[in-house]
Amino acid sequence: MKLLTHNMLTSHVKGVTKGYPLIIKATEVKVNELEFNAQFVSRMIPKLEWNALIQAAEWLGRSQDLPSTLIPNYENDEEFLHKVHRILLEVEVIEGCLQCPESGREFPISKGVPNMLLIEDE
Amino acid sequence: MKLKELESCLQQVDGFEEPKIQLEQYPTSPHIAGCMLYTIHNTFDDIQNKLVADLGCGCGVLSVGAAVLDAGLCVGFDIDEDALDIFKGNVEDFELSNIDTVQCDVCSIGSSYAKKFDTVIMNPPFGTKHNQGIDMQFLRTAISMASTAVYSLHKTSTRDHIQKKANDWKVKMEVIAELRYDLPASYKFHKKKSVDIQVDFIRFTPT
């Protein structure tokens, strides 16, 4: 599970009003290299919940001096874009779980795939 | 990449080992997947450097194709763990890093991913196995997720019904091609050797 994907995931447990962001508890993390494309990264940034990304990076121990708020003119800052590329697209959670911040319900991540399926009465 | 090369590449994608009939698991043939992806990429430029979602990805033939065509990232969504295991195997075989997967029920996604993706591609279940209406649920979800376009396959016989829904949902519908989906006998109850189903390859865009 990449952090770009994590940034979009929410918990839909019954009764939960804000199941976001899901707390990452990782037991195995991998870095999988992916070709850098400045345009793609720049375009993804405005779609992100930036705070959730910063938190996710912290949970993985990889804050790497990412700013807590977006710098203006980030589209032209190659170094910044490279940092974002790395955390968003190259770091992958292979094993662990995602925890709903409100209900505490845990969604397992196994072989890199988060399982968001809920049982009947959830 | 030429269409023939893409098809040939997709022939290497592993399919379902034990397809689950109630989930309508049929592989999308390399030919159909190739045609779809080739058009989406060359005619509409909706794959390269785009954030793509593949709903009901199964073993991932469409996702692998999108990744090979340089999608920025392609995320596959499916309910079945076994299919996703095969999907992972395919991703490893092809050594692709621009793919991710989520196990979930597409019908329960709702609007969680509203407009987050540039493009959604899919070959949804048609609703032939006690799951009538599932194709429209998939379509509704896909439309909410995509900011640019949804590309999907639907039975030609349902075209008018889909057009009505598209109008209700205020989306533009364009039948790009009519394809014959050749389904070889894959389940024990299949009496014929293979069957041709006429399907529409459709592009949906917000008005």
Side-chain angles (χ1 to χ4, degrees):
Chain A
M1 182 196 69
K2 296 179 196 266
L3 294 192
L4 176 50
T5 304
H6 168 263
N7 202 260
M8 298 187 265
L9 296 175
T10 20
S11 156
H12 289 292
V13 172
K14 233 187 272 182
V16 163
T17 43
K18 192 174 187 239
Y20 182 89
L22 293 164
I23 303 164
I24 307 178
K25 297 180 175 179
T27 50
E28 190 188 331
V29 176
K30 214 174 70 166
V31 176
N32 199 353
E33 274 179 27
L34 173 54
E35 204 178 312
F36 173 73
N37 185 290
Q39 200 198 47
F40 180 68
V41 179
S42 296
R43 270 202 322 114
M44 291 300 108
I45 290 173
K47 293 185 193 229
L48 299 170
E49 291 291 337
W50 187 255
N51 294 330
L53 178 64
I54 297 299
Q55 273 195 283
E58 269 165 28
W59 286 322
L60 294 181
R62 283 164 193 266
S63 303
Q64 354 246 141
D65 45 75
L66 275 174
S68 53
T69 42
L70 276 175
I71 54 176
N73 201 30
Y74 59 78
E75 308 89 354
N76 298 313
D77 188 338
E78 280 262 329
E79 198 188 318
F80 173 73
L81 292 178
H82 265 100
K83 279 198 200 133
V84 177
H85 168 84
R86 184 125 179 121
I87 195 71
L88 210 54
L89 296 166
E90 291 187 329
V91 173
E92 293 180 0
V93 180
I94 306 298
E95 299 288 331
C97 72
L98 296 174
Q99 189 177 40
C100 172
E102 211 173 294
S103 67
R105 208 286 202 181
E106 287 186 351
F107 298 92
I109 302 175
S110 161
K111 297 181 247 180
V113 184
N115 181 350
M116 307 306 295
L117 292 174
L118 293 171
I119 55 171
E120 283 274 325
D121 31 309
E122 276 183 304
Chain B
M1 194 185 247
K2 299 202 186 81
L3 176 56
K4 281 263 170 268
E5 289 172 307
L6 180 58
E7 272 184 44
S8 174
C9 171
L10 294 178
Q11 261 153 27
Q12 313 301 319
V13 176
D14 289 333
F16 300 103
E17 271 162 23
E18 283 176 28
K20 298 183 177 80
I21 181 65
Q22 76 278 13
L23 295 176
E24 274 190 62
Q25 290 181 337
Y26 296 101
T28 305
S29 73
H31 175 65
I32 291 194
C35 287
M36 283 174 77
L37 294 165
Y38 192 77
T39 304
I40 298 169
H41 175 56
N42 284 298
T43 306
F44 299 101
D45 191 22
D46 277 337
I47 295 182
Q48 191 170 26
N49 288 329
K50 302 289 195 293
L51 183 58
V52 180
D54 178 359
L55 299 187
C57 61
C59 302
V61 67
L62 289 175
S63 291
V64 165
V68 161
L69 291 172
D70 285 326
L73 179 69
C74 182
V75 185
F77 295 82
D78 203 284
I79 199 170
D80 183 32
E81 197 168 305
D82 297 325
L84 290 174
D85 269 342
I86 298 177
F87 185 115
K88 291 254 102 191
N90 283 321
V91 171
E92 265 157 49
D93 289 345
F94 278 80
E95 291 178 348
L96 297 162
S97 338
N98 53 344
I99 290 195
D100 211 355
T101 30
V102 177
Q103 184 179 5
C104 68
D105 181 354
V106 170
C107 298
S108 311
I109 282 181
S111 52
S112 322
Y113 304 96
K115 304 293 164 213
K116 295 272 182 179
F117 289 86
D118 294 310
T119 307
V120 176
I121 51 178
M122 60 184 188
N123 181 6
F126 288 160
T128 54
K129 298 280 166 287
H130 306 290
N131 53 359
Q132 198 182 42
I134 197 173
D135 53 345
M136 299 315 286
Q137 284 186 62
F138 264 69
L139 185 54
R140 185 120 212 225
T141 300
I143 287 169
S144 77
M145 288 169 78
S147 58
T148 305
V150 172
Y151 296 89
S152 184
L153 293 181
H154 295 272
K155 290 197 291 187
T156 303
S157 56
T158 60
R159 190 187 296 181
D160 289 342
H161 173 66
I162 298 178
Q163 182 65 76
K164 274 203 206 94
K165 287 283 179 186
N167 295 337
D168 289 342
W169 297 334
K170 305 220 184 334
V171 290
K172 187 173 146 213
M173 169 175 151
E174 191 192 334
V175 178
I176 302 177
E178 279 179 32
L179 304 167
R180 296 187 94 92
Y181 199 125
D182 169 33
L183 282 179
S186 47
Y187 290 107
K188 283 210 182 78
F189 66 83
H190 283 167
K191 297 198 180 64
K192 302 189 195 155
K193 262 227 193 89
S194 78
V195 125
D196 270 1
I197 302 182
Q198 274 195 280
V199 293
D200 289 342
F201 174 32
I202 308 179
R203 178 176 201 252
F204 299 89
T205 43
T207 43

